[in-house]
Amino acid sequence: KAGVTQTPRYLIKTRGQQVTLSCSPISGHRSVSWYQQTPGQGLQFLFEYFSETQRNKGNFPGRFSGRQFSNSRSEMNVSTLELGDSALYLCASSHTSGGEETQYFGPGTRLLVL
Amino acid sequence: AQSVSQHNHHVILSEAASLELGCNYSYGGTVNLFWYVQYPGQHLQLLLKYFSGDPLVKGIKGFEAEFIKSKFSFNLRKPSVQWSDTAEYFCAVGIYNQGGKLIFGQGTELSVKP
């Protein structure tokens, strides 16, 4: 099976702009989670979608949002970008949500905000 | 709030040395436990996981981990490291039935000298 794919792989934006990142899960996986990875804060959970519904949310401001489509593909949007949003954004997919589940990660989208 | 603590930020070993990376978590309920590895320039890969049963779990590339419930620990071990094990290692905890959310430790950077 193909792994988790994320597009684009690299992005450069300026403060105040907005950005949309895309994630395609492993075929058959219905849960998609998003994480932010920075040198200072490490890996932090953003949110998780399962069957087009947001099931879980981390402690990020409302500028961070997401959605999931009927084919399980997911997008993450960050509005009004700040310098501190520069990070590697990781997407992970799993077959189920809750119980015993294993998340598989994509390569990430590296976002640089200038 | 749940948290995961990895004791060592950076470990330097010579080839053939034994490895043990510490991981402790704070949560009193049922957890799923994981170790992920991030090789330089690559994405997060699953090393091993524990859901239930035998607390000693074996993963890929000769790694193993032991879950000690009374100590809230899930330490990673390898009897003899290789230069190719140079990477960053992350311990992660999933709260059972809180789908899609992993809480990560800060990571341990392992450098193996040839």
Side-chain angles (χ1 to χ4, degrees), chain B:
Chain B
Q2 303 101 5
S3 65
V4 178
S5 174
Q6 292 183 237
H7 311 305
N8 309 100
H9 181 63
H10 192 185
V11 173
I12 302 173
L13 295 173
S14 298
E15 274 193 316
S18 64
L19 170 72
E20 181 160 2
L21 301 181
C23 173
N24 285 90
Y25 64 93
S26 62
Y27 182 73
T30 303
V31 294
N32 299 326
L33 299 162
F34 307 85
W35 277 96
Y36 287 88
V37 61
Q38 193 169 34
Y39 297 103
Q42 296 187 29
H43 61 279
L44 274 171
Q45 299 173 38
L46 180 69
L47 263 184
L48 47 77
K49 59 187 176 184
Y50 172 81
F51 292 144
S52 62
D54 187 345
L56 184 63
V57 292
K58 296 189 185 299
I60 61 171
K61 305 186 180 185
F63 286 91
E64 65 177 33
E66 184 176 14
F67 171 48
I68 303 180
K69 189 173 182 180
S70 60
K71 295 185 178 180
F72 300 92
S73 70
F74 189 56
N75 292 353
L76 181 70
R77 300 195 292 249
K78 185 171 184 179
S80 176
V81 295
Q82 301 172 325
W83 176 79
S84 58
D85 293 324
T86 295
E88 191 157 16
Y89 293 80
F90 293 92
C91 178
V93 173
I95 307 301
Y96 190 84
N97 277 333
Q98 280 191 26
K101 175 181 179 179
L102 290 177
I103 304 160
F104 281 86
Q106 284 294 99
T108 297
E109 187 178 343
L110 172 65
S111 299
V112 180
K113 298 183 294 184

Side-chain angles (χ1 to χ4, degrees), chain A residues 17-64:
Chain A
Q17 286 187 309
Q18 67 94 26
V19 67
T20 299
L21 313 181
S22 180
C23 171
S24 292
I26 292 170
S27 177
H29 285 193
R30 296 167 62 192
S31 170
V32 173
S33 299
W34 289 89
Y35 296 84
Q36 181 194 64
Q37 186 177 20
T38 59
Q41 299 298 317
L43 278 149
Q44 293 186 290
F45 172 77
L46 280 155
F47 33 65
E48 183 245 1
Y49 286 86
F50 182 80
S51 293
E52 302 179 65
T53 302
Q54 188 181 90
R55 297 288 293 269
N56 213 337
K57 191 177 189 307
N59 296 323
F60 278 82
R63 299 184 297 106
F64 292 81

